[in-house]
Amino acid sequence: MAQRRTTLTTRALTGASVVVLTAGAALLPGAGSATAALASAAPKPDATQAASTAALVAQLGDRAAGSYYDAAARHFVVNITDSSAADQVRGTGAVPRTVRYSTTQLRGVLSTLTQRARIAGTAWAIDPRKDKVVVTVDPTVTGAKRTRLNTVVKSLGDRVVVRRAATAFKPLIAGGDAIWGSSVRCSLGFNVSVNGAPYFLTAGHCGNASSTWSDSQGGREVAQTVNSHFPGADYALARYDDANSDHASVVDLHNGGSQQITRAADAYVGESVQRSGSTSGVHGGTVNGLDATVNYEEGSVSGLIDTDVCAEPGDSGGALFDGDAAIGLTSGGSGDCSSGGETFFQPVPTAVSAEGASLP
């Protein structure tokens, strides 16, 4: 069979029974333009800069209050609560910014919200650019639920800012095209290896929905779900049936090209990223928060990456990436790729570490 180029690229080699599933999934007619969806041309720091900034923030402890990348100014900003740390920050090439609230104080806000306001239709994350916790509320939060949320938010004062989502938060699962389960369609995230054998990562709510996967609707089984986490986290590991599968470590860009993936990396606030999914193709945006919690109807998921990247049903499990780095797996969110939206992602390093996997 000739090679078929789609986001979930499936290639069957005659007589060899080799199947290649490339990260992402099929771009349907009428979906967004791949060219328009590519990440912005904003300058990016290199991986060393991101790692050194993260290490400094950890070293400073409560003298720091997070960090972010300022693409316009082309440097990292480190929030500090102690001005004596400013020279230490400058010594790494970052810019110090004195803020009011420490990471400990803002994490205290997260703890209060988790204990008192875990209401379906809400989400929250620390935004170091605001030095506040951003609470997002979807249209389903009304009546007594909204009154309860308002009471908790009011008690937290100016450490919290509230914004509204246009549509309900939901896992982005659908029936139709891409990687097909028994009754669902999702998107493949990244191919990985476990003890030298071929596997792939996708969303946990997809793994919960199907124990087997095919590369075509109604087609033969090519993989089985072996581990799935949702709610709490949102990732699943599937094993290819053919141990000799050629599972390329690439993401399809929907423009005839692909992006090689060589590593897993942690996201940082201000990072310019791209997402590939089976419904809407490739779209870009920015990381707005880390360690986010989303309260879906199905349960709460924590430790997520909060972005302004759009996504649509069927994009679940798809790849979030930055150049050659695997960043996240599409979980869910609000909005769509016509009007814009907010999407949350399971960090890939967490999933890879938990499953004992590595990029092939």
Side-chain angles (χ1 to χ4, degrees), residues 22-360:
T22 302
L27 177 61
L28 304 181
S33 163
T35 301
L38 294 179
S40 70
K44 291 174 174 287
D46 61 32
T48 301
Q49 285 178 288
S52 63
T53 301
L56 174 64
V57 170
Q59 180 183 345
L60 290 174
D62 216 34
R63 298 168 68 200
S67 64
Y68 60 93
Y69 183 64
D70 185 332
R74 304 190 184 191
H75 59 231
F76 276 98
V77 176
V78 175
N79 291 340
I80 57 173
T81 56
D82 179 355
S83 60
S84 67
D87 286 343
Q88 195 171 349
V89 172
R90 293 188 188 99
T92 66
V95 174
R97 171 179 174 244
T98 302
V99 296
R100 179 176 181 183
Y101 296 116
S102 69
T103 297
T104 296
Q105 289 174 301
L106 295 180
R107 284 179 177 166
V109 172
L110 298 181
S111 179
T112 298
L113 290 167
T114 298
Q115 294 171 11
R116 299 175 54 195
R118 188 169 286 190
I119 300 166
T122 61
W124 48 74
I126 295 173
D127 186 340
R129 295 167 299 187
K130 293 181 172 65
D131 190 40
K132 296 179 186 293
V133 173
V134 177
V135 177
T136 308
V137 186
D138 80 18
T140 68
V141 182
T142 59
K145 293 193 296 183
R146 187 57 193 257
T147 299
R148 174 183 160 197
L149 179 65
N150 288 346
T151 299
V152 176
V153 167
K154 184 177 180 179
S155 73
L156 295 169
D158 68 353
R159 292 172 291 174
V160 173
V161 60
V162 178
R163 67 184 181 196
R164 292 180 178 272
T167 61
F169 289 127
K170 56 188 176 183
L172 298 171
I173 198 167
D177 303 306
I179 52 171
W180 286 263
S182 54
S183 61
V184 297
R185 165 172 56 94
C186 286
S187 301
L188 188 147
F190 298 96
N191 284 318
V192 296
S193 295
V194 179
N195 296 323
Y199 290 73
F200 67 79
L201 293 170
T202 189
H205 62 271
C206 295
N208 285 2
S210 184
S211 61
T212 62
W213 298 99
S214 174
D215 60 332
S216 60
Q217 189 170 22
R220 68 180 181 85
E221 176 191 311
V222 298
Q224 298 181 20
T225 301
V226 297
N227 207 356
S228 186
H229 301 267
F230 181 82
D234 197 0
Y235 64 90
L237 181 71
R239 181 182 61 241
Y240 286 109
D241 293 344
D242 184 351
N244 296 315
S245 294
D246 176 13
H247 58 309
S249 185
V250 298
V251 174
D252 196 312
L253 299 179
H254 301 290
N255 61 358
S258 61
Q259 171 64 56
Q260 183 75 28
I261 300 297
T262 65
R263 60 193 175 94
D266 292 318
Y268 53 85
V269 174
E271 184 173 12
S272 179
V273 290
Q274 296 181 69
R275 175 200 54 75
S276 180
S278 67
T279 299
S280 58
V282 180
H283 287 270
T286 303
V287 174
N288 290 330
L290 304 176
D291 198 22
T293 293
V294 185
N295 299 300
Y296 298 120
E297 287 288 347
E298 296 85 351
S300 299
V301 181
S302 297
L304 299 178
I305 302 165
D306 183 9
T307 77
D308 62 9
V309 183
C310 71
E312 298 185 355
D315 288 331
S316 280
L320 182 74
F321 59 102
D322 179 357
D324 68 341
I327 302 295
L329 304 166
T330 306
S331 174
S334 172
D336 56 41
C337 290
S338 296
S339 59
E342 177 178 14
T343 306
F344 299 90
F345 297 84
Q346 165 70 48
V348 167
T350 302
V352 165
S353 176
E355 298 297 339
S358 61
L359 274 297

